Amino acid sequence: MKSPNGLLAALGTTIFTTMSALAVQHGAINLGQGFPDTEGPADVVQAAAAALLDNRNQYPPLTGTAELRQAVSAANRRFWGLDIDADRGVVVTSGATEALAACLMALLDPGDEIVLIEPLYDTYLPVVRMLGAVPKLVRLQPPSWTLPRAELAAAFGPRTKAILLNTPMNPTGKVFTEGELGFIASLLQQHDAYAICDEVYEHLVFAPARHVPLLGLAGMADRCLRIGSAGKTFSLTGWKVGYVSGPPSLVGVVAKAHQNLTFTTPPNLQRAVALGLAKDDAYFAALAEGLMGKRNRLGAGLRDAGFDVLASDGSYFVIADFAAFGFAGTDLAFCRHITEHAGVAAIPVSAFYEGDAPTHWIRFAFCKQDSVLDEACSRLKRLRRAVAA
Ligand code: PMP
Ligand code: GLN
């Protein structure tokens, strides 16, 4: 029999699913896959419930309901001062995951090169490859995740079509500075290239760090597709409502990709997300402040348990070095070990690299109740003591 698609057949199950399954198997606290353990805002959930019962359950418009496209456009202006056309500059997708695939489809022809920055989110490379495009990988320099400017410049060439930029970044928690973004913008102009900006954590940034969308920099409005996720912004990760904002010239092509991927996204959730995006500033400030407290809490607890904890300025995540545990195996082996023996699951950072990768870092999600974070840290501390004894 002929084989199915070779690339997909060879691809492993995502690390997030693997570690969540292991956590369930061992009854472990799951600080692996990034999802909050409390509900999102009650008014947004209530709006979705009401919208299910208002007899508007048929296909919504291809690019999204008018309410949500207007809300996305208004949020672009309110939070980032961006001018996005609600009718022609927004496409609503089924999660940022679909938005990423649709943007990559919209920009890349087979043979085009795309610059990607490691460590990277695990859907990027498979989709780039399925499109027959050529990834050019550049690694940030740990532990402060510095952008190696000369290497980045060298990764651009005459065949570069785009860069895929994730800020705030998963798994590092890095928030790209305006200076770094300015450097990327100059490369895009020099090489006539586009940017897909994965900004799903746009509202999860910890002061004094500040999120800056590349799309807002001089000369970038026609070159950038900016992706947001209601799942992250409203702590409702299962909802899978994403949105792409950008110039109509590009967004129109993203809509063509979307029409062939899912065509539309559930109208009820779209209407609830529109209400959510219009929430007052206090909601967004409390979201970031609450998570910053959790970052601090988990960071302190992990340090106390013997980890070296790296800085995180945004997202749900913090990276820790487990060298002090005296564990001989890889990061994947360590994650399995702590899931089984401490009852705490995490994600190996090597999963965010292709090929040779550092193997002494693991990623913890801190979007959990304080009591859960505290219990996870005391379990890890007990394990460390047991190992040291
Ligand atoms: N990009 C990044 C960097 C992410 O961490 C996630 C997390 N799920 C996504 C995209 C996908 O978002 P969504 O759940 O809206 O598809
Ligand atoms: N983005 C989430 C994370 O990084 C996981 C999403 C998923 O499981 N696909 O943990």
Side-chain angles (χ1 to χ4, degrees), residues 320-336:
D321 187 338
F322 59 86
F325 271 71
F327 184 85
T330 62
D331 56 351
L332 177 59
F334 187 75
C335 284
R336 289 184 182 281

Side-chain angles (χ1 to χ4, degrees), residues 14 16-17 32-35 97 121-122 170 201 232 240 317 347 352 363:
T14 163
F16 308 116
T17 297
Q33 193 177 27
F35 59 89
T97 308
Y121 187 57
D122 74 340
N170 179 4
Y201 300 105
K232 314 294 183 208
K240 303 300 276 191
F317 310 114
I347 300 287
F352 297 83
R363 187 198 81 175

Side-chain angles (χ1 to χ4, degrees), residues 16 34 94-100 121 123-124 166 168-171 198-201 227-232 236-242 316-317 352 363:
F16 308 116
S94 293
T97 308
E98 189 210 334
L100 280 160
Y121 187 57
T123 67
Y124 297 175
N166 176 211
M169 190 183 194
N170 179 4
D198 179 345
E199 300 181 15
V200 298
Y201 300 105
I227 297 172
S229 166
K232 314 294 183 208
L236 295 162
T237 58
W239 275 25
K240 303 300 276 191
V241 177
Y316 284 149
F317 310 114
F352 297 83
R363 187 198 81 175

Side-chain angles (χ1 to χ4, degrees), residues 17 49 118 120 135 144 182-183 215 225 245 291 311 354 372 377 384:
T17 297
E118 282 187 314
L120 41 64
S144 53
F183 182 73
L215 192 149
L225 289 165
S245 304
L291 275 170
E354 168 148 282
V372 172
C377 290
R384 168 97 192 281

Side-chain angles (χ1 to χ4, degrees), residues 284-328:
F284 294 89
L287 177 69
E289 270 162 36
L291 275 170
M292 181 160 79
K294 292 181 184 300
R295 174 205 64 180
N296 295 344
R297 192 175 193 105
L298 181 66
L302 289 176
R303 274 186 205 101
D304 185 47
F307 290 93
D308 186 17
V309 181
L310 304 190
S312 167
D313 287 330
S315 81
Y316 284 149
F317 310 114
V318 68
I319 291 179
D321 187 338
F322 59 86
F325 271 71
F327 184 85

